[in-house]
């Protein structure tokens, strides 16, 4: 995870459903990084229409960066939690061409959750989302959110399905992998990229993609859960 400050952002110019498990054999081979989103059959507008108001489930609110005020609550819905924030770029995990210590001043060679072979995730090719580490503000696992859980990430009328792949600071929210940003048309550069606002994260409770590194599995399960989310809210 990364600790982006407003100073840096300004300087850089960064303006199976019951159990929620999709079996590995249904996922197919792990694809390369997605090149575009809209993924699935559920539109961004339909999803956003269900998250216009917030029933706050967090005990407090989160900052989007070190230097901002705490303004972002975690909100509850039937079958999901959501928040609306910015997007900082997480390049942690396996070293790749664009995610390494030379490109990312906050680079760490591990992620909180690992691939099926035990290796860290690949931020450059796998869309994943960072959740705040458990604290007195909010405990993600107590809300039915787990590593490999499905997330619908919405930005600029596009939907990208990702997995819960890493944990971040206890007081900061709004972060996703290089691949997530790239697919949504957000500058994925770990040092200067990201989006200052306008990103909605819908995390589906008690879901889990298997294997976690299969993006196609995340899209397939995510589309099913998104349809269920529309029906139940």
């Amino acid at each position: 995870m990364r600790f982006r400050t407003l100073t840096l952002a300004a300087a850089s110019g960064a303006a199976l459903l019951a159990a929620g498990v999709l079996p590995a054999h249904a996922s197919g081979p792990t694809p390369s990084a997605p090149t575009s989103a809209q993924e699935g059959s559920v539109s961004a507008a339909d999803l956003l229409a269900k998250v216009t108001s917030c029933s706050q489930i967090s005990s407090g609110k989160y900052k989007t960066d070190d230097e901002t005020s705490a303004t972002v609550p975690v909100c509850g819905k039937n079958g999901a939690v959501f928040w609306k924030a910015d997007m900082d770029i997480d390049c942690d995990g396996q070293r790749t061409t664009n995610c390494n210590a030379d490109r990312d001043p906050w680079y760490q060679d591990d992620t909180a959750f690992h691939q099926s072979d035990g290796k860290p995730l690949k931020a450059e090719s796998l869309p994943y989302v960072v959740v705040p580490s458990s604290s007195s503000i909010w405990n993600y696992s107590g809300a039915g959110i787990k590593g490999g859980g499905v997330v619908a990430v919405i930005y600029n009328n596009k939907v990208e399905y990702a997995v819960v792949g890493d944990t971040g600071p206890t007081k900061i929210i709004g972060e996703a992998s290089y691949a997530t940003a790239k697919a949504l048309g957000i500058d994925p550069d770990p040092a200067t990229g990201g989006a200052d606002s306008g990103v909605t994260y819908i995390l589906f409770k008690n879901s889990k993609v298997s294997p976690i590194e299969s993006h196609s599995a995340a899209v397939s399960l995510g589309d099913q859960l998104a349809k269920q989310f529309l029906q139940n809210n």
Side-chain angles (χ1 to χ4, degrees):
M1 48 72 47
R2 57 176 303 197
F3 294 87
R4 186 178 72 166
T5 66
L6 289 181
T7 301
L8 176 62
S12 65
L16 332 159
L17 291 177
V21 177
L22 191 69
H25 62 75
S27 65
T30 303
S32 59
T35 56
S36 66
Q38 163 81 37
E39 291 188 331
S41 60
V42 178
S43 72
D46 285 346
L47 288 171
L48 290 175
K50 300 296 185 178
V51 294
T52 55
S53 62
C54 176
S55 176
Q56 184 171 329
I57 62 171
S58 55
S59 297
K61 296 181 179 180
Y62 289 94
K63 300 179 178 183
T64 56
D65 293 293
D66 283 332
E67 299 175 6
T68 63
S69 301
T71 59
V72 180
V74 177
C75 311
K77 299 291 286 189
N78 288 331
V81 304
F82 75 91
W83 56 81
K84 299 180 180 183
D86 65 344
M87 183 184 288
D88 292 340
I89 308 301
D90 190 328
C91 238
D92 293 344
Q94 295 186 47
R95 289 180 176 86
T96 58
T97 301
N98 289 299
C99 287
N100 54 65
D102 293 330
R103 296 293 300 272
D104 182 2
W106 304 273
Y107 177 74
Q108 298 178 34
D109 62 1
D110 200 6
T111 50
F113 307 106
H114 292 168
Q115 296 180 164
S116 54
D117 61 4
K119 294 180 181 179
L121 303 180
K122 286 185 178 180
E124 185 171 346
S125 59
L126 180 69
Y128 70 72
V129 165
V130 181
V131 296
S133 296
S134 295
S135 70
S136 59
I137 300 176
W138 184 57
N139 179 350
Y140 67 87
S141 61
I145 305 303
K146 62 186 75 176
V150 183
V151 187
V153 188
I154 306 164
Y155 179 77
N156 197 22
N157 295 315
K158 297 178 181 178
V159 179
E160 172 70 11
Y161 289 106
V163 293
V164 175
D166 204 359
T167 57
T170 57
K171 296 182 179 181
I172 296 177
I173 207 165
E175 188 175 4
S177 68
Y178 183 106
T180 310
K182 184 176 181 181
L184 288 168
I186 295 170
D187 181 357
D189 188 288
T192 62
D196 288 335
S197 62
V199 186
T200 299
Y201 304 81
I202 303 176
L203 294 76
F204 299 110
K205 296 179 180 179
N206 301 311
S207 63
K208 188 175 177 66
V209 174
S210 181
I212 189 174
E213 66 269 20
S214 174
H215 181 59
S216 61
V219 175
S220 179
L221 181 56
D223 193 50
Q224 295 176 56
L225 292 174
K227 292 175 182 177
Q228 192 175 74
F229 177 74
L230 295 185
Q231 292 175 351
N232 294 341
N233 289 278

